[in-house]
Amino acid sequence: HSDAQMLREHFEDYERESKALSEKKLPLPAYDMALKCSHLFNLLEARGAVSVSERAQYIARVRGLCKRVIAAYLELKSAEPAGERK
């Protein structure tokens, strides 16, 4: 009984926030937003509010967010001095 339009709007909000956080080299909060996008996609799919072509697009969008998060994380880790790495 969820509101599909509201879920779509929140997906876009979290997607935008994940991208912004990745650009600011904040990978963990960006990852949190990407996970929220994944969850919202699952809710939309369970609700039957996603077509076959939309499904592929949503998956690609979440995948793209995760790739940005990974890139931000690796860049952050490579900038650490060698003595601080664990």
Side-chain angles (χ1 to χ4, degrees):
H1 298 283
S2 59
D3 180 354
Q5 183 58 36
M6 179 198 64
L7 295 175
R8 290 178 199 276
E9 289 171 9
H10 286 320
F11 182 97
E12 291 174 8
D13 293 339
Y14 291 139
E15 180 181 34
R16 197 170 28 258
E17 189 66 14
S18 180
K19 287 177 181 179
L21 290 165
S22 291
E23 289 174 10
K24 293 177 183 177
K25 307 301 180 246
L26 298 169
L28 296 179
Y31 181 60
D32 186 43
M33 294 296 116
L35 285 176
K36 289 177 188 250
C37 286
S38 178
H39 179 63
L40 288 168
F41 161 68
N42 287 331
L43 291 174
L44 284 164
E45 190 172 36
R47 173 88 166 70
V50 178
S51 70
V52 174
S53 62
E54 284 179 317
R55 182 179 190 278
Q57 291 171 356
Y58 273 104
I59 291 170
R61 288 166 71 180
V62 172
R63 184 175 184 263
L65 292 176
C66 291
K67 287 173 72 173
R68 285 174 177 256
V69 168
I70 291 166
Y73 180 79
L74 292 175
E75 189 172 330
L76 189 66
K77 284 298 182 184
S78 69
E80 286 182 359
E84 293 182 23
R85 291 188 187 159
K86 295 181 182 177

